[in-house]
Amino acid sequence: MFQRRNPIDADNNSSPLAGRDVSPPGTLPAAETPEIEHNLQVYQIELEMQNEELRQSQDDLLASNARYLDLYNQVPVGLVVLDAAGLIQETNLATATLLGVSRVKLAGQALSRYIFHEDQDDYFRFRRQIVEPTPSCRVELRIVHCDMTPIWVQVDAVVFPDDQGRPTLRCMLRDVTERRQLEHSLQMKNQAFNAALSAKSIATPDGIITEANATFLRLWHIPHLEEVVGSPIAHFFMHRREAMAIMVALDEIGYWEGEFTARRGDGSSFLARALATVLRDSNGKMTGYQSSVMDVTERKQAELALEEWNQTLEARVAEHTRELKDSVERFRQLADATFEGIAVADDGILLDGNQRFAEMHGYELAEMLGRPLSDFVAPQSRRAVAKGFSSTRPRNHRVFGLRKDGSVFPLETHMRVGPWLEHSVRIITLRDLTEIKATEGRMHSLRTDLVHAQRLALVSEVSAGIIHQLSQPLSCMGTNLSVLRKLKAAELEQCGAMEIFHDLEADAARMRDIVIHLRAIANPGQIARASGCLNALTKEVLPLLRARADHAQVHLKLDLCEHLPAIHADAIQLSQVIFNLMCNAIEASADVPLERRMVLVTTRPHAESGVELRVRDHGCGLSDDSIERLFTPFFSTKSTGMGVGLRLCQTIIQAHDGQIDGFNNADGIGATFRIELPVDSPLLMSPVSA
Ligand code: ADP
């Protein structure tokens, strides 16, 4: 290497000219010239080399300058130079990027413009170090990016004089937003950890507690955290085996949830519910355990108390339900036992009813429920019922019900609004008026009968007089005829009138008997009963009807049961009944074709202890009106009829404890009248000759 020489250094002994005499300028000794030239050349070469060295140094300097500039701009921290007034003198690219403002615009501006309002005081104090040195030359501030995003920056500064010796603040701005956010988040987590309602703790993989929150201390009655930190987890368990089981579960499946008995320092315990998990780092390596514990002693006690209360309540409800069922059953029995029907309806639909309600309509109750109430009301009454439904006032109605078989029956209803299973419904009570109506009908009939009876009484009175008047002459007539027959027997025989006399005597006797029995009919209580046979009576009546039958060309036929039990009866009265029934049958046959003119009398034992006699004809039959009024006094369809015959028959038969009725024949031809009489007694059941 060349040793650098200073070409202008006159004192340098190493110079080729050093130590030599120097001639006055312009005159060189000739002997020295070549040496001088040589030295000059050497000197020139040295100069050139020095020049080269200088150029190289300059290039290095420029390159270094460029690298410095690049470093200055590319460094990941913002660099700002502030003057004493806080104005930006110089910034690097990172600062411009941090603020989102170009370096040109930033130059000469106050940095405070970009600092958060709340942090201005800190910034002011920080900036004062330029004039008044402070112990801390670092501050953390929020600056605002041009898009209004706040950025946390850490500012470090040194005071340094500028070119003119004036103090400047050379600042370095580092973006610490992420760190601040992490710190904030950690702080929040810590707060949450401490403020949690459950006791939280963190333990090492060895089960030594490193962290515990305030609730943990409160739950375990521990005043200072230091008493917890460093203690093994098992220390806080009443039963060590429980702690071991939890640790095993955590190691196996990574978490555990359940209840355990916690132990306090004073020996007391509480029931704890816990959730514990294994903690791992980002590589999945286990770093410890964390647990969250709650005291559930009170809750458990409350649960037990609740369970106990529930059981009591259930028992009470069951008891009340039973009582209610009994009461409902009692009420239903009561409701079913009443004569009145009860129905509950809502919106015209039958919701409930009692047994009587179903019975009166001929249904089973189950078939009726859920159906419109109108289904059980006769068409002529539906409007009235609907009108009743539209009113909320309790009301009575007389309507007609409709039975399942389609028949209609009279009803009296009382409808009112009432509660039923928390609803407002119509409660209807119904009374079947069929019986009452029938009684009313009977009363009406009785009233009519009374009028007729009064008339009959009058007739009877007159008749009694007539009977009285007739009985004497008839008796005399019979006696006279008898005397006359005896006195004039020969003459009568001779002229062939004897037989006529016999007939006259017999007729007179019969008329006397009739008169006597007319008295009996007028007073049916006085009947002369004797044991007899219906067959015999029938046969006795037959001759009396012969003339009428012949006249009407009606054939009389008997079909008498041979083994008919005897009856205990008034023979004359029963003859009268048979006579009347046969008379009517003959008269009913008078106008029908000849081949139909036949009256049949049959006798039969009846039921268990009776006898029956039927008079059947093939005549005109009974009209509907006649059937209803057959036994009504003075009812007659004949122009000359009195209308008392059947009534007298009924009176006589009823006086003998029997029954009488009349009906049209099943084949639709003619009518039949039937009488039933009780038999005399079992002893008299011996066969009686017909
Ligand atoms: P009367 O014979 O005077 O009319 P009854 O009391 O004997 O009175 O009969 C009442 C009515 O009963 C008769 O008018 C007649 O219409 C009806 N009747 C009775 N028997 C018969 C019968 N066998 N066939 C048809 N109608 C009868």
Side-chain angles (χ1 to χ4, degrees), residues 47 54 56 80 113 137 280 297 348 402 505 508 568 631 683:
L47 271 178
L54 268 173
Q56 187 63 43
V80 184
R113 276 187 65 178
C137 53
R280 296 184 188 281
T297 312
L402 185 63
E505 262 184 303
H568 193 65
F631 301 101
L683 294 174

Side-chain angles (χ1 to χ4, degrees), residues 247-260:
M247 296 298 272
V248 169
L250 281 169
D251 288 343
E252 278 178 4
I253 54 173
Y255 80 94
W256 179 85
E257 186 178 5
E259 286 172 4
F260 69 92

Side-chain angles (χ1 to χ4, degrees), residues 48 200 309 340 356:
E48 278 172 9
K200 294 195 180 284
W309 169 246
E340 292 181 328
R356 178 74 189 117

Side-chain angles (χ1 to χ4, degrees), residues 79-194:
L79 299 174
V80 184
V81 179
L82 300 176
D83 64 12
L87 301 178
I88 298 171
Q89 287 191 333
E90 210 176 313
T91 56
N92 70 345
L93 202 60
T95 307
T97 312
L98 206 61
L99 297 173
V101 182
S102 73
R103 290 169 71 190
V104 179
K105 278 193 179 172
L106 285 173
Q109 285 207 19
L111 182 63
S112 60
R113 276 187 65 178
Y114 300 96
I115 290 172
F116 245 56
H117 178 70
E118 288 88 339
D119 299 339
Q120 290 287 351
D121 286 351
D122 289 348
Y123 173 63
F124 179 74
R125 275 191 293 277
F126 171 76
R127 205 162 53 78
R128 274 187 63 78
Q129 64 183 296
I130 203 165
V131 287
E132 187 181 301
T134 51
S136 167
C137 53
R138 173 176 288 186
V139 71
E140 286 191 4
L141 307 162
R142 277 163 293 177
I143 59 169
V144 191
H145 187 265
C146 67
D147 65 1
M148 302 307 285
T149 318
I151 300 166
W152 274 103
V153 288
Q154 186 187 71
V155 188
D156 290 278
V158 286
V159 181
F160 207 81
D162 65 3
D163 299 346
Q164 280 113 44
R166 289 172 303 191
T168 60
L169 206 57
R170 296 189 173 188
C171 306
M172 181 172 73
L173 281 64
R174 220 180 328 214
D175 183 349
V176 292
T177 310
E178 202 175 319
R179 196 203 77 210
R180 292 291 297 218
Q181 281 172 348
L182 282 172
E183 279 174 5
H184 180 71
S185 157
L186 197 62
Q187 198 181 358
M188 298 301 284
K189 278 180 185 162
N190 268 337
Q191 277 179 13
F193 183 77
N194 279 317

Side-chain angles (χ1 to χ4, degrees), residues 584-585 588 617 620-622 630 635-638 641-646 673:
N584 281 343
D617 63 58
C620 59
L622 300 163
L630 280 177
F635 168 71
S636 175
T637 57
K638 299 166 194 168
M642 278 284 288
V644 293
L646 286 178
F673 278 79

